[in-house]
Amino acid sequence: MQRWLKKFIRKTDGAVTVEWVTLSAAVIGLGMLVLWPVAFSTESSTQGVADYIEGIDVGYDR
């Protein structure tokens, strides 16, 4: 059992996979952190534009 454990600890075949998973999770987390405020500010901006367009007279009423 000890020999198997020592061999397992020295083995580094999956290290690259673990690094890629960690790097991918960090990139996704940073992306979500940046997009979260943008998503909520876009909704209020859209409402402001909609209110402005609604208030414009087209000019066909006589």
Side-chain angles (χ1 to χ4, degrees):
M1 181 72 174
Q2 285 182 345
R3 190 171 68 178
W4 178 83
L5 186 60
K6 286 180 184 180
K7 185 178 177 183
F8 179 76
I9 290 173
R10 290 184 187 150
K11 201 172 178 185
T12 59
D13 291 343
V16 174
T17 304
V18 172
E19 289 172 0
W20 271 107
V21 168
T22 306
L23 183 64
S24 298
V27 168
I28 290 170
L30 285 172
M32 289 176 64
L33 186 69
V34 168
L35 288 177
W36 192 266
V38 172
F40 286 114
S41 67
T42 318
E43 184 177 327
S44 63
S45 297
T46 305
Q47 187 60 45
V49 171
D51 292 340
Y52 174 75
I53 291 174
E54 185 178 321
I56 296 176
D57 289 333
V58 179
Y60 293 115
D61 273 335
R62 288 187 177 190

